[in-house]
Coordinates of all heavy atoms in Angstrom, one line a residue:
M1037 N -73.7 24.9 -96.8 CA -73.7 26.3 -96.9 C -74.7 26.9 -95.9 O -75.8 26.6 -95.8 CB -74.2 26.8 -98.3 CG -73.2 26.5 -99.4 SD -73.5 27.0 -101.1 CE -74.7 28.2 -101.0
P1038 N -74.1 27.8 -95.0 CA -75.0 28.4 -94.0 C -76.0 29.3 -94.5 O -75.8 30.0 -95.5 CB -74.0 29.1 -93.1 CG -72.7 29.2 -93.9 CD -72.7 28.2 -95.0
L1039 N -77.2 29.3 -93.9 CA -78.3 30.2 -94.3 C -78.3 31.3 -93.2 O -78.3 31.0 -92.0 CB -79.6 29.4 -94.3 CG -80.8 30.2 -94.7 CD1 -80.7 30.6 -96.2 CD2 -82.1 29.4 -94.5
L1040 N -78.3 32.5 -93.7 CA -78.3 33.7 -92.8 C -79.7 34.3 -92.8 O -80.4 34.3 -93.8 CB -77.3 34.8 -93.3 CG -75.9 34.4 -93.4 CD1 -75.1 35.5 -94.0 CD2 -75.3 34.1 -92.0
K1041 N -80.0 34.9 -91.6 CA -81.2 35.8 -91.5 C -80.7 37.2 -91.5 O -80.0 37.6 -90.6 CB -82.0 35.5 -90.3 CG -82.5 34.1 -90.2 CD -83.2 33.9 -88.8 CE -83.6 32.4 -88.7 NZ -84.1 32.1 -87.3
V1042 N -80.9 37.9 -92.6 CA -80.4 39.3 -92.8 C -81.5 40.3 -92.7 O -82.5 40.2 -93.5 CB -79.6 39.4 -94.1 CG1 -79.1 40.8 -94.3 CG2 -78.5 38.4 -94.2
I1043 N -81.4 41.2 -91.8 CA -82.4 42.3 -91.7 C -81.8 43.5 -92.4 O -80.7 44.0 -92.0 CB -82.7 42.6 -90.3 CG1 -83.3 41.3 -89.6 CG2 -83.7 43.8 -90.2 CD1 -83.6 41.5 -88.1
D1044 N -82.5 44.0 -93.4 CA -82.0 45.2 -94.2 C -82.2 46.5 -93.4 O -82.8 46.5 -92.4 CB -82.5 45.2 -95.6 CG -84.0 45.4 -95.7 OD1 -84.6 46.0 -94.8 OD2 -84.6 45.0 -96.7
R1045 N -81.8 47.6 -94.0 CA -82.0 48.9 -93.4 C -83.4 49.3 -93.3 O -83.8 50.3 -92.5 CB -81.2 49.9 -94.1 CG -79.7 49.7 -93.9 CD -78.9 50.8 -94.6 NE -77.5 50.6 -94.4 CZ -76.6 50.1 -95.2 NH1 -77.1 49.7 -96.4 NH2 -75.4 49.9 -94.9
D1046 N -84.3 48.7 -94.0 CA -85.8 49.0 -93.9 C -86.5 48.1 -92.9 O -87.7 48.1 -92.7 CB -86.5 48.8 -95.2 CG -86.0 49.9 -96.2 OD1 -85.7 51.0 -95.8 OD2 -85.9 49.5 -97.4
G1047 N -85.7 47.2 -92.2 CA -86.3 46.3 -91.2 C -86.9 45.0 -91.8 O -87.4 44.2 -91.0
K1048 N -86.7 44.7 -93.1 CA -87.2 43.5 -93.7 C -86.2 42.4 -93.6 O -85.0 42.6 -93.8 CB -87.5 43.8 -95.2 CG -88.1 42.6 -95.9 CD -88.5 42.9 -97.3 CE -89.1 41.6 -97.9 NZ -89.2 41.8 -99.4
E1049 N -86.7 41.2 -93.2 CA -85.8 40.0 -93.0 C -85.7 39.2 -94.3 O -86.7 39.0 -95.0 CB -86.3 39.2 -91.9 CG -85.4 38.0 -91.6 CD -85.8 37.2 -90.4 OE1 -86.1 37.8 -89.3 OE2 -85.8 36.0 -90.5
H1050 N -84.5 38.8 -94.6 CA -84.3 38.0 -95.8 C -83.5 36.7 -95.4 O -82.6 36.8 -94.6 CB -83.4 38.8 -96.8 CG -83.9 40.1 -97.2 ND1 -84.7 40.4 -98.3 CD2 -83.8 41.3 -96.6 CE1 -85.0 41.6 -98.3 NE2 -84.5 42.3 -97.3
A1051 N -83.8 35.6 -96.1 CA -83.0 34.4 -96.0 C -81.9 34.4 -97.1 O -82.3 34.6 -98.2 CB -83.9 33.2 -96.1
V1052 N -80.7 34.4 -96.7 CA -79.6 34.5 -97.6 C -78.6 33.4 -97.4 O -78.1 33.1 -96.3 CB -78.8 35.9 -97.4 CG1 -77.6 36.0 -98.3 CG2 -79.8 37.0 -97.6
Q1053 N -78.2 32.7 -98.5 CA -77.2 31.6 -98.5 C -75.8 32.3 -98.5 O -75.6 33.2 -99.3 CB -77.3 30.7 -99.7 CG -78.5 29.8 -99.7 CD -78.3 28.6 -98.8 OE1 -77.2 28.2 -98.5 NE2 -79.4 28.2 -98.2
A1054 N -75.0 31.8 -97.6 CA -73.6 32.3 -97.6 C -72.7 31.0 -97.9 O -73.1 29.9 -97.8 CB -73.3 32.8 -96.2
K1055 N -71.5 31.3 -98.2 CA -70.5 30.2 -98.5 C -69.5 30.1 -97.3 O -68.9 31.1 -97.0 CB -69.8 30.4 -99.8 CG -70.6 30.3 -101.0 CD -69.8 30.4 -102.3 CE -70.7 30.2 -103.5 NZ -70.0 30.3 -104.7
S1056 N -69.4 29.0 -96.8 CA -68.4 28.7 -95.7 C -67.0 29.0 -96.3 O -66.7 28.8 -97.5 CB -68.4 27.3 -95.2 OG -69.6 27.1 -94.5
G1057 N -66.1 29.6 -95.5 CA -64.8 30.0 -95.9 C -64.6 31.4 -96.5 O -63.5 31.9 -96.6
L1058 N -65.8 32.0 -96.8 CA -65.7 33.4 -97.3 C -66.1 34.3 -96.1 O -66.7 33.9 -95.2 CB -66.7 33.6 -98.4 CG -66.5 32.9 -99.7 CD1 -67.5 33.2 -100.7 CD2 -65.1 33.2 -100.3
K1059 N -65.7 35.6 -96.3 CA -66.1 36.6 -95.3 C -67.5 36.9 -95.4 O -68.1 36.9 -96.6 CB -65.2 37.9 -95.4 CG -63.7 37.6 -95.2 CD -63.4 37.2 -93.8 CE -61.9 37.1 -93.6 NZ -61.5 36.8 -92.3
L1060 N -68.2 37.2 -94.4 CA -69.6 37.7 -94.4 C -69.8 38.8 -95.4 O -70.8 38.9 -96.1 CB -70.0 38.0 -93.0 CG -71.4 38.6 -92.8 CD1 -72.5 37.7 -93.3 CD2 -71.6 38.9 -91.3
M1061 N -68.8 39.7 -95.4 CA -68.9 40.9 -96.3 C -69.1 40.5 -97.7 O -69.8 41.1 -98.5 CB -67.6 41.7 -96.2 CG -67.4 42.8 -97.2 SD -65.7 43.2 -97.5 CE -65.1 41.8 -98.4
E1062 N -68.5 39.4 -98.2 CA -68.5 39.0 -99.6 C -70.0 38.6 -100.0 O -70.4 38.7 -101.1 CB -67.6 37.8 -99.8 CG -66.1 38.3 -99.7 CD -65.1 37.2 -99.8 OE1 -64.9 36.5 -98.8 OE2 -64.5 37.1 -100.9
T1063 N -70.7 38.0 -99.0 CA -72.1 37.7 -99.3 C -73.0 39.0 -99.3 O -73.8 39.2 -100.2 CB -72.6 36.7 -98.2 OG1 -71.9 35.5 -98.4 CG2 -74.1 36.4 -98.4
L1064 N -72.8 39.8 -98.3 CA -73.7 41.0 -98.1 C -73.5 42.0 -99.2 O -74.4 42.7 -99.5 CB -73.4 41.6 -96.7 CG -73.8 40.7 -95.5 CD1 -73.5 41.4 -94.2 CD2 -75.2 40.2 -95.6
R1065 N -72.3 42.2 -99.7 CA -72.1 43.2 -100.7 C -72.7 42.9 -102.0 O -72.9 43.8 -102.9 CB -70.6 43.6 -100.9 CG -69.8 42.5 -101.6 CD -68.4 43.0 -101.7 NE -67.6 41.9 -102.2 CZ -66.3 41.9 -102.3 NH1 -65.6 42.9 -101.8 NH2 -65.6 40.9 -102.7
E1066 N -73.1 41.6 -102.3 CA -73.7 41.2 -103.5 C -75.2 41.5 -103.5 O -75.9 41.4 -104.5 CB -73.4 39.7 -103.8 CG -72.0 39.4 -103.9 CD -71.3 40.1 -105.1 OE1 -71.9 40.3 -106.1 OE2 -70.2 40.6 -104.9
L1067 N -75.8 41.8 -102.4 CA -77.2 42.0 -102.2 C -77.6 43.4 -102.6 O -76.9 44.4 -102.3 CB -77.7 41.7 -100.8 CG -77.3 40.4 -100.2 CD1 -77.6 40.3 -98.8 CD2 -78.0 39.2 -101.0
D1068 N -78.7 43.6 -103.2 CA -79.2 45.0 -103.6 C -79.4 45.8 -102.4 O -79.3 47.1 -102.4 CB -80.5 44.9 -104.4 CG -80.4 44.3 -105.7 OD1 -79.2 44.3 -106.3 OD2 -81.4 43.8 -106.3
Y1069 N -79.7 45.3 -101.3 CA -80.0 46.0 -100.0 C -78.8 45.8 -99.0 O -78.9 46.1 -97.9 CB -81.3 45.4 -99.4 CG -81.2 44.0 -99.2 CD1 -80.6 43.3 -98.1 CD2 -81.8 43.1 -100.2 CE1 -80.6 42.0 -98.0 CE2 -81.8 41.8 -100.1 CZ -81.2 41.2 -99.0 OH -81.1 39.8 -98.9
G1070 N -77.7 45.4 -99.5 CA -76.5 45.0 -98.7 C -75.7 46.2 -98.3 O -76.1 47.3 -98.1
I1071 N -74.4 45.9 -98.2 CA -73.4 46.9 -97.7 C -72.5 47.4 -98.8 O -72.5 46.8 -99.9 CB -72.5 46.2 -96.6 CG1 -71.9 45.0 -97.2 CG2 -73.3 45.9 -95.4 CD1 -70.7 44.4 -96.4
A1072 N -71.8 48.5 -98.5 CA -70.9 49.1 -99.6 C -69.6 48.4 -99.6 O -69.1 48.1 -100.7 CB -70.8 50.6 -99.3
A1073 N -69.0 48.1 -98.5 CA -67.7 47.5 -98.4 C -66.7 48.2 -99.3 O -66.0 47.6 -100.1 CB -67.8 46.0 -98.7
I1074 N -66.5 49.5 -99.2 CA -65.7 50.3 -100.0 C -64.2 49.9 -100.0 O -63.6 49.9 -101.1 CB -65.8 51.8 -99.7 CG1 -67.2 52.3 -100.0 CG2 -64.8 52.7 -100.4 CD1 -67.6 53.7 -99.5
C1075 N -63.7 49.5 -98.9 CA -62.3 49.2 -98.8 C -62.0 47.7 -99.3 O -60.8 47.3 -99.3 CB -61.7 49.5 -97.5 SG -62.1 48.2 -96.2
G1076 N -63.0 47.0 -99.6 CA -62.8 45.6 -100.1 C -62.4 44.6 -99.1 O -61.8 43.6 -99.4
G1077 N -62.6 44.9 -97.8 CA -62.2 44.0 -96.8 C -60.9 44.2 -96.0 O -60.4 43.3 -95.4
M1078 N -60.4 45.4 -96.1 CA -59.1 45.7 -95.5 C -59.3 46.3 -94.1 O -58.3 46.7 -93.5 CB -58.4 46.8 -96.4 CG -58.1 46.3 -97.8 SD -57.2 44.8 -97.9 CE -55.6 45.3 -97.3
C1079 N -60.5 46.3 -93.6 CA -60.7 46.7 -92.2 C -60.3 48.2 -92.0 O -59.6 48.5 -91.1 CB -60.0 45.8 -91.2 SG -60.6 46.1 -89.5
S1080 N -60.6 49.0 -93.0 CA -60.2 50.4 -92.9 C -61.3 51.5 -93.2 O -61.0 52.6 -93.1 CB -59.0 50.7 -93.9 OG -59.5 50.5 -95.2
C1081 N -62.5 51.0 -93.4 CA -63.5 52.0 -93.7 C -64.8 51.9 -92.9 O -65.6 52.9 -92.9 CB -63.8 52.0 -95.2 SG -64.8 50.5 -95.8
A1082 N -65.2 50.8 -92.4 CA -66.4 50.5 -91.7 C -67.7 50.6 -92.5 O -68.7 50.7 -91.9 CB -66.4 51.4 -90.4
T1083 N -67.6 50.6 -93.8 CA -68.8 50.6 -94.6 C -69.4 49.2 -94.7 O -70.4 49.0 -95.5 CB -68.5 51.1 -96.0 OG1 -67.6 50.3 -96.7 CG2 -68.1 52.6 -96.0
C1084 N -68.9 48.2 -94.0 CA -69.5 46.9 -94.0 C -70.0 46.6 -92.5 O -70.2 45.4 -92.2 CB -68.5 45.8 -94.4 SG -67.1 45.6 -93.3
H1085 N -70.3 47.6 -91.8 CA -70.8 47.5 -90.4 C -72.1 46.7 -90.4 O -73.1 47.1 -91.1 CB -71.0 48.9 -89.8 CG -71.5 48.9 -88.4 ND1 -72.2 50.0 -88.0 CD2 -71.5 48.1 -87.4 CE1 -72.5 49.8 -86.7 NE2 -72.1 48.6 -86.4
V1086 N -72.2 45.7 -89.5 CA -73.4 45.0 -89.2 C -73.5 44.8 -87.7 O -72.5 45.0 -87.0 CB -73.4 43.6 -89.9 CG1 -73.3 43.7 -91.4 CG2 -72.2 42.7 -89.5
V1087 N -74.7 44.4 -87.3 CA -74.9 44.0 -85.9 C -75.3 42.5 -85.9 O -76.2 42.1 -86.6 CB -76.0 44.9 -85.3 CG1 -76.3 44.5 -83.9 CG2 -75.6 46.4 -85.4
I1088 N -74.5 41.8 -85.2 CA -74.7 40.3 -85.1 C -75.8 40.1 -84.0 O -75.8 40.7 -83.0 CB -73.4 39.6 -84.7 CG1 -72.3 39.9 -85.7 CG2 -73.6 38.1 -84.5 CD1 -72.5 39.4 -87.1
G1089 N -76.7 39.2 -84.3 CA -77.7 38.8 -83.3 C -77.0 38.4 -81.9 O -76.0 37.7 -82.0
P1090 N -77.6 38.8 -80.8 CA -76.9 38.6 -79.5 C -76.6 37.1 -79.2 O -75.6 36.8 -78.6 CB -77.9 39.2 -78.5 CG -79.0 39.9 -79.2 CD -78.8 39.6 -80.7
D1091 N -77.5 36.2 -79.7 CA -77.3 34.8 -79.5 C -76.1 34.3 -80.3 O -75.6 33.2 -80.0 CB -78.5 34.0 -79.8 CG -79.7 34.3 -78.9 OD1 -79.5 34.9 -77.8 OD2 -80.8 34.0 -79.3
W1092 N -75.7 35.0 -81.3 CA -74.6 34.6 -82.2 C -73.3 35.3 -82.0 O -72.2 34.8 -82.4 CB -75.0 34.8 -83.6 CG -76.2 33.9 -84.0 CD1 -77.5 34.2 -84.0 CD2 -76.1 32.6 -84.5 NE1 -78.2 33.1 -84.3 CE2 -77.4 32.1 -84.7 CE3 -75.0 31.7 -84.7 CZ2 -77.7 30.8 -85.1 CZ3 -75.3 30.4 -85.2 CH2 -76.6 30.0 -85.3
A1093 N -73.3 36.4 -81.3 CA -72.0 37.2 -81.1 C -70.9 36.4 -80.5 O -69.8 36.5 -80.8 CB -72.3 38.4 -80.3
G1094 N -71.2 35.5 -79.5 CA -70.2 34.7 -78.8 C -69.7 33.5 -79.7 O -68.8 32.8 -79.2
K1095 N -70.3 33.3 -80.8 CA -70.0 32.1 -81.6 C -69.0 32.5 -82.7 O -68.6 31.6 -83.5 CB -71.2 31.5 -82.2 CG -72.1 31.0 -81.1 CD -73.4 30.4 -81.7 CE -74.3 29.9 -80.6 NZ -75.5 29.3 -81.0
I1096 N -68.6 33.7 -82.8 CA -67.6 34.2 -83.8 C -66.4 34.7 -83.0 O -66.5 35.2 -81.8 CB -68.1 35.2 -84.7 CG1 -68.7 36.4 -84.0 CG2 -69.2 34.6 -85.6 CD1 -69.3 37.5 -84.9
P1097 N -65.2 34.6 -83.6 CA -64.0 35.1 -82.9 C -64.2 36.6 -82.5 O -64.8 37.4 -83.2 CB -62.9 34.9 -83.9 CG -63.4 33.8 -84.8 CD -64.8 34.0 -84.8
A1098 N -63.6 37.0 -81.4 CA -63.6 38.4 -80.9 C -63.0 39.3 -81.9 O -62.0 38.9 -82.7 CB -63.0 38.5 -79.6
A1099 N -63.4 40.6 -82.0 CA -62.8 41.6 -82.8 C -61.4 41.9 -82.4 O -61.1 42.0 -81.2 CB -63.7 42.8 -82.8
M1100 N -60.5 42.1 -83.3 CA -59.2 42.5 -83.1 C -59.2 44.1 -82.8 O -60.1 44.7 -83.0 CB -58.3 42.2 -84.3 CG -58.2 40.7 -84.6 SD -57.6 39.7 -83.3 CE -55.8 39.9 -83.6
S1101 N -58.0 44.6 -82.3 CA -58.0 46.0 -81.9 C -58.3 47.0 -83.0 O -59.0 48.0 -82.7 CB -56.6 46.3 -81.3 OG -55.6 46.1 -82.2
D1102 N -57.8 46.7 -84.2 CA -58.1 47.7 -85.3 C -59.6 47.7 -85.6 O -60.2 48.8 -85.9 CB -57.3 47.4 -86.6 CG -57.4 46.0 -87.1 OD1 -57.9 45.1 -86.3 OD2 -57.0 45.7 -88.2
E1103 N -60.3 46.6 -85.6 CA -61.7 46.6 -85.8 C -62.4 47.3 -84.7 O -63.3 48.1 -84.9 CB -62.2 45.1 -86.0 CG -63.7 45.0 -86.2 CD -64.2 43.6 -86.3 OE1 -63.4 42.6 -86.1 OE2 -65.4 43.5 -86.5
R1104 N -62.1 47.0 -83.4 CA -62.7 47.6 -82.3 C -62.6 49.1 -82.3 O -63.5 49.8 -82.0 CB -62.1 47.1 -81.0 CG -62.6 45.7 -80.6 CD -62.2 45.3 -79.2 NE -60.9 45.6 -78.8 CZ -59.8 44.7 -78.9 NH1 -60.0 43.5 -79.3 NH2 -58.6 45.1 -78.5
E1105 N -61.4 49.6 -82.8 CA -61.2 51.0 -82.8 C -62.1 51.7 -83.9 O -62.7 52.7 -83.6 CB -59.7 51.3 -83.2 CG -59.4 52.8 -83.2 CD -57.9 53.0 -83.5 OE1 -57.1 52.2 -83.1 OE2 -57.6 54.0 -84.2
L1106 N -62.2 51.1 -85.0 CA -63.1 51.6 -86.1 C -64.6 51.6 -85.6 O -65.3 52.6 -85.8 CB -63.0 50.8 -87.4 CG -61.9 51.2 -88.3 CD1 -61.8 50.1 -89.4 CD2 -62.2 52.5 -88.9
L1107 N -65.0 50.5 -85.0 CA -66.4 50.4 -84.5 C -66.7 51.4 -83.4 O -67.8 52.0 -83.4 CB -66.6 49.0 -84.0 CG -66.7 47.9 -85.0 CD1 -66.7 46.5 -84.4 CD2 -67.9 48.0 -85.9
S1108 N -65.8 51.7 -82.6 CA -66.0 52.6 -81.5 C -66.3 54.0 -81.9 O -66.9 54.8 -81.2 CB -64.9 52.6 -80.5 OG -63.7 53.1 -81.0
E1109 N -65.9 54.3 -83.1 CA -66.0 55.7 -83.7 C -67.4 55.9 -84.4 O -67.7 57.0 -84.8 CB -64.9 56.0 -84.6 CG -63.5 56.1 -83.9 CD -62.4 56.2 -84.9 OE1 -62.6 56.3 -86.1 OE2 -61.2 56.2 -84.4
L1110 N -68.1 54.8 -84.6 CA -69.4 54.8 -85.3 C -70.5 55.3 -84.4 O -70.7 54.9 -83.3 CB -69.7 53.5 -85.9 CG -68.7 52.9 -86.8 CD1 -69.1 51.5 -87.3 CD2 -68.5 53.8 -88.1
S1111 N -71.4 56.1 -85.0 CA -72.5 56.6 -84.3 C -73.6 55.6 -84.0 O -74.4 55.7 -83.1 CB -73.1 57.9 -85.0 OG -73.5 57.5 -86.3
H1112 N -73.6 54.5 -84.9 CA -74.6 53.5 -84.7 C -74.0 52.2 -84.1 O -74.6 51.1 -84.2 CB -75.2 53.1 -86.1 CG -75.9 54.3 -86.7 ND1 -77.1 54.7 -86.3 CD2 -75.6 55.1 -87.7 CE1 -77.5 55.8 -87.0 NE2 -76.6 56.0 -87.9
Y1113 N -72.9 52.4 -83.4 CA -72.3 51.2 -82.7 C -73.2 50.6 -81.7 O -73.9 51.3 -80.9 CB -71.0 51.7 -82.0 CG -70.4 50.6 -81.1 CD1 -69.6 49.7 -81.7 CD2 -70.6 50.6 -79.7 CE1 -69.0 48.7 -80.9 CE2 -70.1 49.6 -78.9 CZ -69.3 48.6 -79.5 OH -68.7 47.6 -78.7
Q1114 N -73.2 49.3 -81.6 CA -73.9 48.5 -80.6 C -73.0 47.5 -80.1 O -71.9 47.1 -80.7 CB -75.1 47.8 -81.2 CG -76.2 48.8 -81.7 CD -77.4 48.1 -82.2 OE1 -77.8 47.1 -81.8 NE2 -78.1 48.8 -83.1
P1115 N -73.3 46.9 -78.9 CA -72.4 45.9 -78.3 C -72.0 44.7 -79.2 O -70.9 44.2 -79.1 CB -73.1 45.5 -77.0 CG -74.0 46.6 -76.7 CD -74.4 47.2 -78.0
T1116 N -72.9 44.3 -80.1 CA -72.6 43.2 -81.0 C -72.2 43.7 -82.4 O -72.3 42.9 -83.3 CB -73.7 42.2 -81.0 OG1 -74.9 42.8 -81.4 CG2 -73.9 41.6 -79.6
S1117 N -71.8 44.9 -82.6 CA -71.4 45.4 -83.9 C -70.2 44.7 -84.3 O -69.3 44.5 -83.5 CB -71.1 46.9 -83.8 OG -72.3 47.7 -83.7
R1118 N -70.1 44.5 -85.6 CA -68.9 43.9 -86.2 C -68.7 44.5 -87.6 O -69.7 44.9 -88.2 CB -69.0 42.4 -86.3 CG -69.0 41.6 -85.0 CD -67.7 41.8 -84.2 NE -66.5 41.4 -84.9 CZ -65.9 40.2 -84.8 NH1 -66.4 39.3 -84.0 NH2 -64.8 40.0 -85.4
L1119 N -67.5 44.4 -88.1 CA -67.2 44.7 -89.5 C -67.4 43.3 -90.2 O -66.6 42.4 -89.9 CB -65.9 45.3 -89.7 CG -65.6 46.7 -89.1 CD1 -64.2 47.2 -89.4 CD2 -66.7 47.7 -89.5
S1120 N -68.3 43.3 -91.2 CA -68.5 42.0 -91.8 C -67.3 41.4 -92.6 O -67.2 40.2 -92.8 CB -69.7 42.0 -92.7 OG -69.6 43.0 -93.8
C1121 N -66.3 42.3 -92.9 CA -65.1 41.9 -93.5 C -64.2 41.1 -92.6 O -63.2 40.4 -93.0 CB -64.3 43.0 -94.1 SG -63.7 44.2 -92.9
Q1122 N -64.5 41.1 -91.3 CA -63.7 40.4 -90.3 C -64.4 39.1 -89.8 O -63.8 38.5 -88.9 CB -63.4 41.3 -89.2 CG -62.6 42.6 -89.6 CD -61.3 42.3 -90.3 OE1 -60.4 41.6 -89.7 NE2 -61.2 42.6 -91.5
V1123 N -65.5 38.8 -90.3 CA -66.3 37.6 -89.9 C -66.2 36.5 -91.0 O -66.8 36.7 -92.0 CB -67.7 38.0 -89.5 CG1 -68.5 36.7 -89.1 CG2 -67.8 39.0 -88.4
E1124 N -65.5 35.4 -90.7 CA -65.5 34.3 -91.6 C -66.7 33.4 -91.4 O -67.0 33.0 -90.3 CB -64.2 33.5 -91.5 CG -64.1 32.5 -92.5 CD -62.7 31.8 -92.5 OE1 -61.7 32.4 -92.1 OE2 -62.6 30.6 -93.0
M1125 N -67.3 33.1 -92.5 CA -68.5 32.2 -92.5 C -68.0 30.8 -92.3 O -67.1 30.3 -92.9 CB -69.3 32.4 -93.7 CG -70.0 33.7 -93.8 SD -71.1 34.1 -92.4 CE -72.2 32.7 -92.3
T1126 N -68.8 30.0 -91.5 CA -68.6 28.6 -91.3 C -69.9 28.0 -91.2 O -71.0 28.6 -91.0 CB -67.8 28.3 -90.0 OG1 -68.7 28.7 -88.9 CG2 -66.5 29.0 -89.9
D1127 N -70.0 26.7 -91.4 CA -71.3 25.9 -91.3 C -71.9 26.1 -89.9 O -73.1 26.0 -89.8 CB -71.1 24.5 -91.7 CG -70.8 24.3 -93.2 OD1 -71.1 25.2 -94.0 OD2 -70.2 23.2 -93.5
A1128 N -71.1 26.3 -88.9 CA -71.6 26.5 -87.6 C -72.4 27.7 -87.4 O -73.1 27.9 -86.4 CB -70.4 26.5 -86.6
L1129 N -72.3 28.7 -88.3 CA -73.1 29.9 -88.3 C -74.4 29.8 -89.0 O -75.1 30.9 -89.2 CB -72.2 31.1 -88.8 CG -70.9 31.3 -88.0 CD1 -70.1 32.4 -88.6 CD2 -71.2 31.6 -86.5
D1130 N -74.8 28.6 -89.4 CA -76.1 28.4 -90.0 C -77.2 29.0 -89.2 O -77.3 28.6 -88.0 CB -76.3 27.0 -90.3 CG -77.6 26.7 -91.1 OD1 -77.8 27.3 -92.1 OD2 -78.4 25.8 -90.6
G1131 N -78.0 29.9 -89.7 CA -79.1 30.5 -89.0 C -78.8 31.8 -88.3 O -79.6 32.4 -87.7
M1132 N -77.5 32.3 -88.4 CA -77.1 33.5 -87.8 C -77.9 34.7 -88.2 O -78.2 34.9 -89.4 CB -75.6 33.8 -88.0 CG -75.1 35.0 -87.3 SD -73.3 35.2 -87.4 CE -73.0 35.5 -89.1
L1133 N -78.3 35.5 -87.2 CA -79.0 36.8 -87.5 C -78.1 37.9 -87.6 O -77.2 38.1 -86.8 CB -80.0 37.1 -86.3 CG -80.8 38.4 -86.4 CD1 -81.7 38.4 -87.6 CD2 -81.6 38.6 -85.1
V1134 N -78.2 38.7 -88.7 CA -77.3 39.8 -89.1 C -78.2 41.0 -89.5 O -79.0 40.8 -90.4 CB -76.3 39.4 -90.2 CG1 -75.5 40.6 -90.6 CG2 -75.5 38.2 -89.9
T1135 N -78.0 42.1 -88.8 CA -78.7 43.3 -89.2 C -77.7 44.3 -89.8 O -76.6 44.6 -89.3 CB -79.3 44.0 -87.9 OG1 -80.2 43.0 -87.3 CG2 -80.1 45.2 -88.3
I1136 N -78.0 44.8 -91.0 CA -77.2 45.7 -91.7 C -77.3 47.1 -91.0 O -78.5 47.6 -90.9 CB -77.5 45.8 -93.2 CG1 -77.3 44.4 -93.8 CG2 -76.7 46.9 -93.9 CD1 -77.7 44.3 -95.3
A1137 N -76.2 47.6 -90.5 CA -76.3 48.9 -89.8 C -76.6 50.0 -90.7 O -76.4 50.0 -91.9 CB -74.9 49.1 -89.1
P1138 N -77.2 51.1 -90.1 CA -77.5 52.3 -90.9 C -76.2 52.9 -91.5 O -75.2 52.7 -90.9 CB -78.2 53.2 -89.9 CG -78.6 52.4 -88.8 CD -77.7 51.2 -88.7
D1139 N -76.4 53.6 -92.6 CA -75.2 54.3 -93.2 C -74.7 55.3 -92.2 O -75.5 56.0 -91.5 CB -75.6 54.9 -94.5 CG -75.6 53.9 -95.6 OD1 -74.9 53.0 -95.6 OD2 -76.5 54.1 -96.5
E1140 N -73.5 55.5 -92.1 CA -72.9 56.6 -91.3 C -72.8 57.9 -92.0 O -72.6 57.9 -93.2 CB -71.5 56.2 -90.8 CG -71.5 55.0 -89.9 CD -72.0 55.4 -88.5 OE1 -71.7 56.5 -88.0 OE2 -72.7 54.6 -87.9

């Protein structure tokens, strides 16, 4: 099970266990300081917006066009922004740094 470094909206870092094979969103929405994930992973609301650590961004598949379109409309968009509902966890992502983006 990969261990994530999650930075919450207050800037505090947490060590969080994730399960391989699940979407990153599924782990983050269970946290008290996590994400809303209102659409439940349908890539239609952007309430699961996170910023992947720069060293990790190239280790996950590139965003598809619908995800890129949603992200580009966000005021807190960054070059390594992703919708956590579109990132599948694998053991290779052990140690990945994820920052929960500010609410829009």
Side-chain angles (χ1 to χ4, degrees):
M1037 289 183 18
L1039 183 67
L1040 300 172
K1041 296 175 188 174
V1042 178
I1043 299 176
D1044 65 25
R1045 290 184 178 100
D1046 294 326
K1048 183 177 179 188
E1049 185 174 312
H1050 307 266
V1052 176
Q1053 286 285 329
K1055 290 185 181 179
S1056 291
L1058 295 180
K1059 299 294 184 178
L1060 174 58
M1061 173 204 72
E1062 294 175 279
T1063 296
L1064 298 179
R1065 72 177 171 191
E1066 299 301 319
L1067 305 173
D1068 291 337
Y1069 52 84
I1071 56 166
I1074 291 170
C1075 75
M1078 301 303 294
C1079 193
S1080 64
C1081 71
T1083 60
C1084 67
H1085 177 206
V1086 296
V1087 179
I1088 304 295
D1091 295 341
W1092 293 94
K1095 297 179 182 182
I1096 56 178
M1100 302 297 281
S1101 61
D1102 54 345
E1103 180 184 3
R1104 286 193 312 267
E1105 184 177 324
L1106 275 171
L1107 289 169
S1108 69
E1109 296 173 3
L1110 300 176
S1111 58
H1112 299 286
Y1113 172 81
Q1114 294 186 28
T1116 60
S1117 285
R1118 293 298 303 266
L1119 298 181
S1120 61
C1121 67
Q1122 300 301 300
V1123 177
E1124 184 172 336
M1125 291 304 305
T1126 67
D1127 290 339
L1129 298 178
D1130 183 50
M1132 182 169 69
L1133 176 64
V1134 177
T1135 302
I1136 298 174
D1139 282 326
E1140 289 290 321

